Amino acid sequence: MTLYTRFAAHMNLALDALVLAGDLPAGLERRAVTVEPPRDPSHGDLATNAAMVLAKPAGTNPRALAEKIAAELEKLPEVASVSVAGPGFINMSLTDDTWRAELGEILKAGENYGRSTIGSGLTVNVEYVSANPTGPMHMGHCRGAVVGDALASLLEYVGHKVVREYYVNDAGGQVDVLARSAHLRYREALGETVEIPEGLYPGDYLKPVGQQLAAEYGDKYVGAPESEWLAQFRKEAVAAMLVMIKADLALLGIHHDLFSSEAELQAEGKPEAAEKWLREHDLVYDGVLEAPKGETPEDWEPVELPLFRSTQFGDDQDRPIKKSNGQWTYFGADLAYHFQKAQSADQLIDIWGADHAGTVKRIVAAVQALTGGKTRFDVKLVQMVRLLRNGDPVKMSKRSGNFVTLADVVQEVGKDVVRFTMLTRKSDAQMDFDFAKVVEASKDNPVFYVNYAHARIASLQRKAAEAGIACPSSDLSLLDTEELGLVKLAAQFPRVVEGAAAAREPHRIAFYLYDLSAAFHSQWNAGNDDPQRRFLLADNPALTCARLFLARAIGQIIRNGLGLMGVEAVQEMH
């Protein structure tokens, strides 16, 4: 139990006492009651909205109710003072011993400090990356990969069972293009001089695939009609691409539990099953789409198609699940895929590129319909990353074969730099990735700044050992107000973790670690102006031990937070 959950329990007991005293009616809904840090730290350590939330349903004045709640809270030995502000907000200041005790809890819990059970019993399917299997991972895929993987780790940390899934789009026209491109490389491997025409994939990454096909089939398919080799080449080329994709993702420390094939989904009749279910529930009907807005194309003619009633769920028009040629639309196949996922998970999360923003509303509507609204479904949009080198754009184009691969970037700056950087902004905000900036040793580079804090803490432990400073125990009463301020920030970590998991926003961990590191650096730098503020004091071993205890606790939280991000905490900076 964290300090914040403990005080939430204290709040419930205080309210129970008021019910027993007849000051509050029994059975009031308390879910909206919060206990959290006040926006202005000068107001105290904790604030609660209990009186503001409960006064109206209780039929009483919020200020008067706040006074009664405050009187109950003042009885707690952990509380130094309670005040009522404005119309009925309650602020509490805790005793210094409470914060010292929390410092001990951080080190006692170690790597488990911040873990939660709020997700216990719920399975969450997180689908991320899901790039078309037509080539290696490039930086256009990187951000979504990191956001999805960090979110999955965060959800596990708060108790969820998490399934990491990759949806392989191997049923569309793009894999036919891949097969044709591989066929050209196959002919090339057999000695033919080939030119890659417009519309096929020109990248050299397909040369080994062509060589493999040549070794397997010889010249059997050189002059054969496409109908004889397309399906087999498509299958083998996709398999080769997935081997490459998995290897690229492993460079980032990313491993999926499940790779689901769109082609297999369709072969098993899952879209038909979803359509049948939807028709039985009057959510799909045969109808004609409205003509395109604006100038109608000359060749447009009304065609009856099976339409999903997405307007019932907030979409601006009903959506076709099949094309006029009988093939499934992307939406139709996607609908069946999500129907399948919902059979084995309580909650679904998709990590999508921002270019798919227009389809979010309809797929959310579909999942709501298919699950009767019982399955929470979140789509997190991820903006593209603009690659720069010393401020100049780095051009990339997957189709031209000149794209910057994920492997190249990881090799240049390292896995941890890439992962941390991808989480330094909210996922739907634009991001620049400058090769020079992300390795810069400055406060403006969060990757460096957080790692530097941990490295400083590690150096303290080494220097203390070299100086023969042993700390069998620590007198934490020697820590002053400023140092306890660092403890107060550290104690927010479990609350930040739970908030980030609930909001599906792993970037909050990066933001928090930057703030915590900044506070630690400030404490460290105070020793430059006043030698008595230094962590290691040769003439005061007792105070040194107390400060080392504090530093170890901060280091533990930094490691815990970096671990959630898939980043290793460094022991020293070079």
Side-chain angles (χ1 to χ4, degrees), residues 24-44:
L24 269 181
L28 290 181
E29 176 58 62
R30 299 179 185 179
R31 280 183 296 180
V33 174
T34 61
V35 179
E36 57 191 5
R39 292 183 180 179
D40 186 346
S42 68
H43 293 167

Side-chain angles (χ1 to χ4, degrees), residues 485-504:
L486 194 54
V487 180
K488 294 176 184 181
L489 182 57
Q492 291 189 32
F493 180 65
R495 183 174 169 275
V496 171
V497 167
E498 289 189 352
R504 292 17 181 156

Side-chain angles (χ1 to χ4, degrees), residues 123-130 144-145 147-156 160-167 256-258 337 341 345 347-351 378 380 504:
T123 297
V124 184
N125 180 297
V126 185
E127 184 227 317
Y128 56 108
V129 188
S130 298
V147 169
D149 201 56
L151 178 54
S153 294
L154 180 62
L155 293 170
E156 284 177 332
H160 287 290
K161 179 183 177 183
V162 176
V163 177
R164 293 167 162 87
E165 185 161 351
Y166 187 118
Y167 183 44
H256 289 80
D257 302 311
L258 187 61
Y337 166 58
K341 287 198 294 184
Q347 299 179 0
L348 305 179
I349 301 173
D350 287 357
I351 310 296
D378 295 290
K380 305 300 291 185
R504 292 17 181 156

Side-chain angles (χ1 to χ4, degrees), residues 112-125:
N112 291 318
Y113 188 78
R115 283 191 186 274
S116 172
T117 58
I118 62 170
S120 291
L122 293 176
T123 297
V124 184
N125 180 297

Side-chain angles (χ1 to χ4, degrees), residues 109 217 557:
Y217 298 112
I557 290 177

Side-chain angles (χ1 to χ4, degrees), residues 295-481:
E295 188 174 339
T296 303
E298 291 183 6
D299 59 351
W300 185 85
E301 58 183 52
V303 178
E304 187 174 75
L305 297 170
L307 303 177
F308 171 65
R309 296 186 188 277
S310 52
T311 50
Q312 289 188 8
F313 304 91
D315 203 352
D316 54 2
Q317 68 178 62
D318 292 340
R319 302 290 176 174
I321 61 173
K322 277 186 179 178
K323 302 175 185 177
S324 57
N325 62 5
Q327 292 183 343
W328 295 101
T329 62
Y330 187 87
F331 171 64
D334 216 26
L335 184 151
Y337 166 58
H338 283 83
F339 193 22
Q340 174 178 276
K341 287 198 294 184
Q343 307 308 306
S344 56
D346 302 295
Q347 299 179 0
L348 305 179
I349 301 173
D350 287 357
I351 310 296
W352 287 1
D355 56 328
H356 290 83
T359 64
V360 171
K361 189 177 290 186
R362 72 194 67 159
I363 195 63
V364 169
V367 172
Q368 184 179 350
L370 288 165
T371 66
K374 296 177 182 178
T375 301
R376 175 178 174 181
F377 177 41
D378 295 290
V379 178
K380 305 300 291 185
L381 295 177
V382 178
Q383 286 285 354
M384 292 286 287
V385 178
R386 190 171 67 136
L387 285 178
L388 304 171
R389 193 177 294 278
N390 291 312
D392 296 323
V394 176
K395 294 182 180 179
M396 68 174 189
S397 169
K398 185 172 182 178
R399 292 192 178 275
S400 72
N402 295 326
F403 56 84
V404 179
T405 67
L406 185 153
D408 289 339
V409 177
V410 172
Q411 183 176 7
E412 180 169 341
V413 302
K415 168 185 79 75
D416 290 344
V417 169
V418 174
R419 288 192 66 121
F420 197 117
T421 303
M422 292 299 129
L423 295 168
T424 53
R425 298 204 71 185
K426 194 173 180 180
S427 64
D428 59 359
Q430 294 287 344
M431 170 177 280
D432 287 347
F433 185 98
D434 192 309
F435 285 90
K437 294 290 185 182
V438 297
V439 295
E440 184 178 81
S442 79
K443 180 181 179 181
D444 296 329
N445 177 10
V447 185
F448 167 81
Y449 203 53
V450 173
N451 269 320
Y452 190 31
H454 190 269
R456 275 180 158 174
I457 291 167
S459 74
L460 278 176
Q461 311 305 320
R462 291 193 300 269
K463 289 176 181 177
E466 291 167 2
I469 299 173
C471 298
S473 62
S474 299
D475 182 2
L476 300 183
S477 68
L478 298 173
L479 297 177
D480 63 18
T481 301

Side-chain angles (χ1 to χ4, degrees), residues 557-568:
I557 290 177
I558 291 176
R559 285 194 299 279
N560 291 0
L562 289 176
L564 288 174
M565 298 166 67
V567 175
E568 185 178 350

